[in-house]
Amino acid sequence: MLWGCFFFQGHTAAIWAVKILPEQGLMLTGSADKTIKLWKAGRCERTFTGHEDCVRGLAILSEMEFLSCSNDASVRRWHISGECLHVYYGHTNYIYSVSVFPHCKDFVTTGEDRSLRIWKQGECAQTIRLPAQSVWCCCVLDNDDIVVGASDGIIRVFTKSLERTASAEEIQAFENELSQASIDPKTGDLGDINADDLPGKEHLKDPGTRDGQTRLIKDNGKVEAYQWSVSEGRWIKIGDVVGSSGGTQQTSGKVLFEGKEYDYVFTIDVNESGPSYKLPYNISDDPWLTAYNFLQKNDLNPMFLDQVAKFIIDNTKGQAPLNTNPEFSDPFTGAGRYVPGSSSLSNTAPAADPFTGAGRYVPGSASNVVAPVGGYDPYTGIGAYQSAKAENIYFPKKDAVTFDQANPTQILGKLKELNGNAAEEQKLTEDDLIILEKLLSATCNTSAEMPTAQQIQTLWKAINWPEDIVFPALDILRLSVRHPIVNENFCGEKAHVQFIHLLLKFLNPQGKPANQLLALRALCNCFVSQAGQKLLMEQRDEIMTQAIEVKSGNNKNVHIALATLTLNYAVCLHKVNNIEGKAQCLSVISTVMEVVKDLEAVFRLLVALGTLISDDKNAVQLAKSLGVDSQIKKYVSVSEPAKVKECCRFVLNLL
């Protein structure tokens, strides 16, 4: 029997992947032209665009959905209608292969960063390093075993089954081979490396915070990389880092990050208790624009713009653009792999969530995020860049500041975990959990559906949980109350008394800091709608009297939330010019200034103060009588962040 040949023309570059959808005659192709095409009966029915580099692999999820992986270090989930449903980031270099587990939508990926990554419910649940630079392909078997092929010519099978697990000798041999591997720091997987700054082996005594976490140590002059294994509860050596002993970016060349080359890939710690973020930078780039894009991509507080831009400038002083060799020696591996084009860093990557972060849900350890609401926020790039011209871009503040960032998957995961430990009469049903998940989707703009009365009623039930387990429910409330429908339900005439009393209960100074934090953030978010503003202004005296009681704690995130609540009241009071309300807020500012140490909280209090006294001589006199001017003078000499010093000077000019 002879095979016939059919030609499908449409791609403009090499085709790397082909998959057949269950429907007869429907085919998908992925190409180096950065597109995916859907074919039927020899015709291209649809073209999928979104990847910024070669599409290397495809995997079928169902008759309606599929996955793609790319040299841009992302995995995308698509609907055959053409809609990109989700983007997954985790790899730090090219992704070559993707394969799906049978009977579910979990999947595995392999790539140029020496890793096999296992994805569960949309999150990277496990990272397995291999002693080979390129892990070319992977396949999930019907028994859930994972087969991978790598550039060292070896096929390896990974399993969860104890019956099929390799012998202790074979596992030890694998670990020995892994520990002897050489890791090139230019892969970008390990960030910037300065051997002189690294700790010794004593650093490995502390457990990791998540599976796959990488830690570098210096031992006998060598830099060694270790990876944390949650299942084994220990650090496993994954190789020696070559070219890192005192090396710099200028001597080691370009850095690969998410499939692209950069002069630098910095590790940025926005909040000492939150996660770290990677900031790629080329010397030819504008540091202010790079900083602005970095904050936007990671949904971080735009008030950090000055600090991030200054960090870039300070760490790249005197550097000129590097000359790179455009020649490619090998079309498949190493520096010579096929790269049809480069493009700017995608802003569609899901944020590593600064509120839950590091693969776990810890409400008290969050970075504090303020998302601009429409137009230019006076704290974003343009304003901050002009601050050197002594222009007051800080106050009077016109709009409420809200806490918008979160990871719904992490929140729901914690809710389900605590629900399992709740008393029977307080447990949420499976239907309740699904209803809350839909509410989060509706209020976090991930679905077009509107919140329903049933969803809101279920949320009422959840936020009445005992105080020791209620915090994930409060977090859902914090996010949901931004939606006009939910805001009206909780803050309207029918339920507002019950709602306020519930939140004030959590502001007990002896209560859990997580509950204090989320109750304050929920109150801040109530200001986004008219119903919420009306209620909080009516209940101002009771709310502020209770809120100030949490000032005595040492949780800086609680202090920042308290300062933000005061700022939002200042925004409203500036509009209505209520001198009694201003007097109370000025008193709160004076009192809180005495105890807070976090400069972000101080900054928000300064903006609140400036907003309250702007265009109001009576408020200026009240502030002076409280001695606020003498309290804030000490911040004139603060060097970092610059916004604190600048804002303080503008306030003092009014006093």
Side-chain angles (χ1 to χ4, degrees):
M1 179 179 178
L2 297 177
W3 293 90
C5 181
F6 298 91
F7 293 91
F8 295 77
Q9 294 184 332
H11 285 294
T12 59
I15 297 171
W16 289 100
V18 178
K19 286 290 179 182
I20 303 298
L21 280 163
E23 181 181 338
Q24 185 68 24
L26 210 55
M27 182 175 70
L28 289 165
T29 55
S31 169
D33 64 9
K34 309 178 188 178
T35 70
I36 303 160
K37 292 185 181 292
L38 177 70
W39 305 83
K40 188 171 185 179
R43 292 189 312 173
C44 179
E45 298 286 327
R46 186 167 293 110
T47 298
F48 302 78
T49 60
H51 281 297
E52 298 190 357
D53 212 327
C54 308
V55 179
R56 303 299 295 261
L58 297 168
I60 306 300
L61 289 170
S62 67
E63 289 189 359
M64 303 301 291
E65 294 183 13
F66 66 93
L67 297 171
S68 62
C69 65
S70 166
N71 276 7
D72 64 10
S74 75
V75 177
R76 289 177 177 260
R77 180 162 63 93
W78 303 88
H79 191 276
I80 61 169
S81 64
E83 180 185 3
C84 179
L85 302 175
H86 201 78
V87 184
Y88 307 94
Y89 276 88
H91 283 275
T92 58
N93 213 313
Y94 304 141
I95 306 176
Y96 295 136
S97 183
V98 56
S99 183
V100 178
F101 283 96
H103 314 304
C104 71
K105 294 188 178 182
D106 296 335
F107 58 94
V108 300
T109 52
T110 56
E112 184 67 13
D113 56 6
R114 306 170 68 237
S115 75
L116 159 69
R117 297 182 189 247
I118 301 170
W119 302 78
K120 299 287 187 181
Q121 297 181 336
E123 301 289 335
C124 183
Q126 186 175 2
T127 302
I128 300 173
R129 304 283 176 176
L130 281 83
Q133 181 60 57
S134 305
V135 188
W136 288 113
C137 53
C138 60
C139 179
V140 181
L141 304 181
D142 289 341
N143 62 1
D144 283 355
D145 286 357
I146 304 167
V147 184
V148 298
S151 56
D152 59 0
I154 298 175
I155 297 172
R156 296 176 175 88
V157 182
F158 296 89
T159 183
K160 296 187 296 182
S161 169
L162 295 177
E163 296 176 354
R164 295 191 296 275
T165 301
S167 66
E169 292 77 12
E170 290 175 308
I171 293 174
Q172 187 60 53
F174 172 76
E175 290 188 8
N176 290 341
E177 188 180 8
L178 188 62
S179 68
Q180 293 166 12
S182 296
I183 302 174
D184 185 349
K186 289 186 291 182
T187 61
D189 191 31
L190 304 175
D192 304 314
I193 302 170
N194 187 337
D196 295 333
D197 296 336
L198 294 176
K201 277 200 168 181
E202 68 278 358
H203 196 42
L204 301 178
K205 294 179 181 178
D206 299 326
T209 58
R210 67 185 186 280
D211 193 79
Q213 179 186 357
T214 302
R215 184 165 287 180
L216 303 181
I217 62 107
K218 182 172 64 175
D219 186 39
N220 294 325
K222 294 192 306 180
V223 176
E224 299 177 344
Y226 285 79
Q227 177 178 286
W228 178 252
S229 171
V230 169
S231 60
E232 299 184 38
R234 64 187 180 100
W235 292 98
I236 298 174
K237 185 180 177 183
I238 60 173
D240 297 317
V241 183
V242 297
S244 59
S245 183
T248 66
Q249 296 297 329
Q250 289 69 48
T251 61
S252 61
K254 290 279 188 176
V255 183
L256 280 170
F257 176 72
E258 293 185 346
K260 301 177 183 64
E261 289 187 335
Y262 296 92
D263 294 324
Y264 296 87
V265 176
F266 297 113
T267 300
I268 304 293
D269 293 308
V270 177
N271 183 298
E272 61 186 35
S273 60
S276 298
Y277 302 90
K278 297 295 184 182
L279 190 161
Y281 178 73
N282 283 316
I283 295 169
S284 58
D285 294 340
D286 183 312
W288 292 92
L289 181 59
T290 299
Y292 177 76
N293 289 336
F294 165 75
L295 296 174
Q296 289 288 305
K297 173 188 174 183
N298 292 292
D299 284 338
L300 293 172
N301 191 331
M303 295 186 196
F304 289 124
L305 182 78
D306 283 336
Q307 295 166 263
V308 176
K310 189 176 185 301
F311 174 88
I312 296 173
I313 294 168
D314 289 346
N315 285 276
T316 58
K317 283 181 178 176
Q319 300 302 325
L322 294 172
N323 292 323
T324 57
N325 185 358
E327 299 295 327
F328 293 104
S329 58
D330 188 291
F332 299 117
T333 60
R337 67 179 53 79
Y338 175 67
V339 182
S342 61
S343 57
S344 60
L345 186 66
S346 170
N347 283 333
T348 59
D353 182 62
F355 185 62
T356 54
R360 70 190 191 282
Y361 177 85
V362 185
S365 65
S367 301
N368 292 274
V369 179
V370 183
V373 183
Y376 286 113
D377 188 282
Y379 303 143
T380 58
I382 293 176
Y385 186 76
Q386 295 174 340
S387 62
K389 300 178 181 179
E391 178 185 354
N392 179 8
I393 50 93
Y394 301 110
F395 61 82
K397 190 84 172 70
K398 303 296 185 182
D399 301 304
V401 178
T402 54
F403 294 93
D404 298 331
Q405 184 58 41
N407 186 326
T409 302
Q410 296 286 357
I411 296 172
L412 288 167
K414 195 59 168 181
L415 186 75
K416 292 175 183 177
E417 175 189 331
L418 295 176
N419 189 52
N421 300 326
E424 286 301 323
E425 65 274 10
Q426 295 165 333
K427 276 188 178 180
L428 300 173
T429 66
E430 287 298 321
D431 288 342
D432 289 338
L433 294 172
I434 293 172
I435 287 169
L436 290 177
E437 184 174 3
K438 290 182 178 179
L439 175 62
L440 266 180
S441 296
T443 56
C444 291
N445 299 320
T446 56
S447 81
E449 297 180 2
M450 293 290 106
T452 66
Q454 183 186 30
Q455 292 169 0
I456 294 171
Q457 189 59 40
T458 304
L459 179 57
W460 270 111
K461 177 181 176 181
I463 61 177
N464 279 280
W465 266 5
E467 291 190 29
D468 58 335
I469 62 172
V470 73
F471 63 89
L474 288 177
D475 213 0
I476 297 175
L477 172 68
R478 184 261 306 186
L479 294 166
S480 301
V481 79
R482 299 169 304 159
H483 195 284
I485 293 176
V486 182
N487 194 288
E488 176 64 36
N489 187 282
F490 280 93
C491 300
E493 294 294 333
K494 292 183 179 180
H496 70 274
V497 174
Q498 179 185 356
F499 177 56
I500 290 299
H501 285 170
L502 177 72
L503 289 182
L504 294 186
K505 177 184 71 174
F506 297 120
L507 297 182
N508 184 332
Q510 281 75 47
K512 292 173 67 70
N515 294 344
Q516 296 171 354
L517 173 68
L518 293 167
L520 287 170
R521 288 182 169 183
L523 287 168
C524 291
N525 287 0
C526 285
F527 280 94
V528 299
S529 292
Q530 286 295 324
Q533 288 184 26
K534 182 175 182 294
L535 172 62
L536 267 66
M537 289 298 284
E538 290 174 352
Q539 303 292 323
R540 170 189 49 77
D541 183 61
E542 185 178 2
I543 291 172
M544 292 302 285
T545 300
Q546 186 63 43
I548 199 174
E549 293 298 317
V550 302
K551 73 181 188 304
S552 55
N554 58 4
N555 187 308
K556 64 182 181 181
N557 290 324
V558 171
H559 287 165
I560 291 172
L562 175 59
T564 307
L565 179 64
T566 309
L567 172 55
N568 285 353
Y569 268 116
V571 170
C572 289
L573 290 166
H574 179 72
K575 297 174 182 177
V576 300
N577 199 24
N578 180 328
I579 193 62
E580 180 185 349
K582 287 187 175 184
Q584 184 184 31
C585 282
L586 288 168
S587 177
V588 169
I589 292 171
S590 176
T591 303
V592 177
M593 276 284 191
E594 292 291 336
V595 295
V596 297
K597 297 179 181 178
D598 183 83
L599 291 178
E600 182 61 37
V602 170
F603 173 68
R604 298 188 186 199
L605 289 171
L606 287 171
V607 176
L609 175 58
T611 301
L612 288 168
I613 65 176
S614 292
D615 307 316
D616 191 336
K617 294 181 180 179
N618 291 328
V620 170
Q621 292 304 315
L622 277 171
K624 287 182 177 180
S625 68
L626 290 168
V628 173
D629 50 345
S630 61
Q631 284 181 303
I632 67 173
K633 282 180 180 177
K634 60 184 176 182
Y635 296 110
V636 174
S637 58
V638 170
S639 57
E640 294 293 338
K643 64 184 181 183
V644 173
K645 175 172 64 177
E646 292 174 355
C647 190
C648 184
R649 286 176 175 172
F650 287 127
V651 172
L652 288 173
N653 286 340
L654 295 181
L655 294 172

